[in-house]
Amino acid sequence: MGVRTTELVTCPRNAFDWLGPAGVRGAVIRWLRLVAADAELAPYLIGLDRPRFACRLTAQLTAALGGPGPAGVRAADGAWRRLGLTDEQHWRVLDYLAAVLCGLDLPAATIVAAQRVVAGEAQA
């Protein structure tokens, strides 16, 4: 008998392909729940049209994770900044995003890239 070798076949996929539209929506919902549970950030969400805000964040996170969307989409920087957050609060929002994406077992490089897009430092 000869020695059998097996090769693993990998399929290069981006994070969006792995999560799918429902996964990205779920991530945004968890992200917004974390922000809403933060006593300092929650008041900024009062009176906000959360379903519309969530749709915008979902579209932007989809693009940030390699999914379909308009080319050059700038992510949520404008959306979050328009709420009047301080720089420290804005970074906390980004930390919550990282926590959600980390919980989905996404690679660290993907999480950092998504944070950069959301922070407005990069385009999707």
Side-chain angles (χ1 to χ4, degrees):
M1 270 197 204
V3 176
R4 287 183 74 179
T5 60
T6 57
E7 293 182 37
L8 294 177
V9 177
T10 59
C11 180
R13 298 185 328 179
N14 61 32
F16 178 79
D17 289 339
W18 186 70
L19 293 174
V24 175
R25 277 192 304 274
V28 168
I29 289 168
R30 284 189 293 281
W31 180 21
L32 284 173
R33 284 182 182 158
L34 288 172
V35 172
D38 185 302
E40 189 177 330
L41 297 174
Y44 291 93
L45 299 177
I46 294 173
L48 186 68
D49 183 351
R50 286 194 203 183
R52 183 174 178 208
F53 192 64
C55 285
R56 180 170 182 202
L57 294 177
T58 299
Q60 293 166 339
L61 187 57
T62 294
L65 295 175
V73 168
R74 298 272 302 192
D77 180 55
W80 289 110
R81 291 288 184 189
R82 276 186 242 138
L83 296 179
L85 301 175
T86 66
D87 285 340
E88 181 181 316
Q89 291 167 329
H90 190 252
W91 284 111
R92 191 171 321 137
V93 167
L94 295 175
D95 287 344
Y96 286 134
L97 172 62
V100 168
L101 297 179
C102 185
L104 295 172
D105 291 328
L106 294 182
T110 300
I111 295 169
V112 170
Q115 283 182 301
R116 290 190 70 217
V117 171
V118 170
E121 297 173 7
Q123 289 192 351

